[in-house]
Amino acid sequence: GLSVFHFQEFLKVSKGTILSDIKKIREMLSNENCQLLYSRKRGFTLLGSEFQLRREAKNRLASLLQTTSGRFGVLLWLVSMDFVLVAQVKKAIINACLRTTIQLAPSRMEELAFFYSLTKKRIGDSSLEEYDELPIIHSNETASISKKVLSSIIETPITEKETQFFSRCLMTFVQGNLHDQSQEFLFSCVAEIIHRIEALVAVRFESFKELFDNLYFHLVPAYYRMVYGFYLPNPMIKQIKSQYGAIYELTKKALQPFEKIIRKKIPEEEIGFFSILFGGEIRKSNLLAQQKR
């Protein structure tokens, strides 16, 4: 039901700007094997795998929420559809997490609430595909949260594929649980990364256990983000690369064992988050060394 005119009115820009942006969007979508089609009768239509379309939408939303104008646009669009829906979804996520050991970052929870509010119309109507190469979430707690939240959004029966998709979204925000056996394969990787950074920086971390836990808590959601192709914006990445370039490059080398597990290159935004973690530990170690001397 959307046309070029709708975009002009909503964004307050010229027709030429809209057509230019649509061309860029089509080029970006082609990398994800998706298409943005247009006909006078139907308006704009997205064509492609439902999983890929939703993933692309979620990644675009994450980027939009990092800017004031993007955030305003998302809120304006949601308010025009359903004023209280986001609050209801957010409340459902909080209530579902209360009786579990799962912890979500407040900012990520908000993004999830926005995403599911905007995706409501597609849930149940658009069939999700299953990909054998994507890890299946076996956590009972995650599945329980997924079903409760989805039930609060739609009245139709919840399919297993929808539960899995929501669980995958959830796992990209969930702090790693040291007692979850399904994630134990990352233990040796965490230890190897720490030993590599110690060798590269020529420092020995005094609080190895504390660093191990902190790195593991961050590595688990990062693993799911990268294997599923979800994007986590890092608004500080330019500052990190310019001011702490050496730590960034050393962190990038130290993370090579993790790259082998996920079988793809780690995005610079993710490397930036790990750089902050290691930068703090290196600084702490240097201060301890000075105190000992």
Side-chain angles (χ1 to χ4, degrees):
L2 295 173
S3 66
V4 170
F5 174 75
H6 286 97
F7 292 124
Q8 280 181 254
E9 281 295 296
F10 185 74
L11 299 169
K12 306 298 179 191
V13 292
S14 68
K15 185 178 179 181
T17 300
I18 294 297
L19 294 174
S20 172
D21 285 352
I22 286 169
K23 185 181 177 182
K24 291 175 188 174
I25 288 167
R26 282 180 170 146
E27 289 170 1
M28 292 172 181
L29 286 172
S30 65
N31 297 327
E32 295 291 326
N33 297 317
C34 301
Q35 290 178 284
L36 179 64
L37 306 177
Y38 178 75
S39 70
R40 286 188 177 183
K41 190 177 180 180
R42 296 185 65 191
F44 285 97
T45 312
L46 283 167
L47 190 69
S49 146
E50 182 65 14
F51 180 88
Q52 288 173 314
L53 286 174
R54 287 199 200 180
R55 178 174 63 191
E56 189 69 8
K58 186 174 176 301
N59 289 343
R60 299 290 171 200
L61 177 66
S63 297
L64 280 169
L65 292 176
Q66 294 303 307
T67 65
T68 305
S69 58
R71 189 180 184 82
F72 175 79
V74 171
L75 283 166
L76 186 62
W77 185 248
L78 279 166
V79 165
S80 69
M81 291 188 291
D82 190 335
F83 184 72
V84 295
L85 183 59
V86 180
Q88 287 173 344
V89 176
K90 201 171 178 181
K91 188 179 178 182
I93 296 170
I94 293 168
N95 290 341
C97 291
L98 280 177
R99 296 178 183 178
T100 67
T101 58
I102 287 176
Q103 292 183 323
L104 293 176
S107 59
R108 313 312 301 166
M109 189 187 301
E110 188 176 55
E111 181 191 317
L112 203 58
F114 280 146
F115 176 65
Y116 266 82
S117 299
L118 288 163
T119 313
K120 181 183 176 181
K121 287 184 179 180
R122 302 184 75 90
I123 299 171
D125 291 337
S126 305
S127 180
L128 276 162
E129 306 81 5
E130 191 55 68
Y131 293 91
D132 294 334
E133 69 272 16
L134 297 178
I136 293 173
I137 307 298
H138 296 288
S139 167
N140 291 329
E141 284 189 324
T142 310
S144 172
I145 292 170
S146 304
K147 286 174 183 174
K148 284 177 183 175
V149 174
L150 288 169
S151 299
S152 72
I153 301 172
I154 58 172
E155 295 173 0
T156 54
I158 312 299
T159 65
E160 182 57 34
K161 287 179 182 177
E162 286 289 356
T163 303
Q164 267 296 312
F165 183 80
F166 190 91
S167 297
R168 283 166 173 162
C169 291
L170 206 60
M171 287 304 294
T172 64
F173 302 146
V174 170
Q175 182 177 283
N177 185 344
L178 291 162
H179 304 292
D180 190 340
Q181 294 182 344
S182 65
Q183 296 157 9
E184 282 183 356
F185 68 96
L186 288 171
F187 282 177
S188 57
C189 178
V190 172
E192 190 178 348
I193 290 169
I194 294 173
H195 291 314
R196 284 175 70 92
I197 200 82
E198 283 182 329
L200 288 163
V201 186
V203 68
R204 193 151 192 89
F205 297 120
E206 297 283 338
S207 51
F208 183 90
K209 175 69 171 66
E210 185 184 341
L211 177 57
F212 182 97
D213 292 351
N214 289 335
L215 181 56
Y216 178 76
F217 293 153
H218 183 73
L219 203 72
V220 170
Y223 167 78
Y224 287 107
R225 281 195 296 272
M226 282 177 256
V227 295
Y228 295 139
F230 289 124
Y231 172 66
L232 179 62
N234 186 343
M236 293 177 65
I237 188 60
K238 287 183 180 177
Q239 189 180 343
I240 292 166
K241 289 178 79 174
S242 63
Q243 293 186 15
Y244 308 100
I247 290 175
Y248 176 88
E249 290 301 325
L250 293 169
T251 301
K252 189 176 177 179
K253 289 181 181 179
L255 289 171
Q256 284 175 0
F258 188 45
E259 275 192 348
K260 288 179 183 176
I261 290 176
I262 60 173
R263 297 178 182 176
K264 58 176 76 172
K265 280 197 170 186
I266 301 171
E268 62 177 23
E269 288 85 359
E270 294 283 358
I271 297 170
F273 288 120
F274 287 110
S275 300
I276 293 169
L277 177 65
F278 287 128
E281 287 297 323
I282 291 163
R283 181 175 172 78
K284 196 161 68 175
S285 295
N286 288 339
L287 288 172
L288 285 169
Q290 287 172 17
Q291 285 168 3
K292 280 183 181 179
R293 282 200 294 273

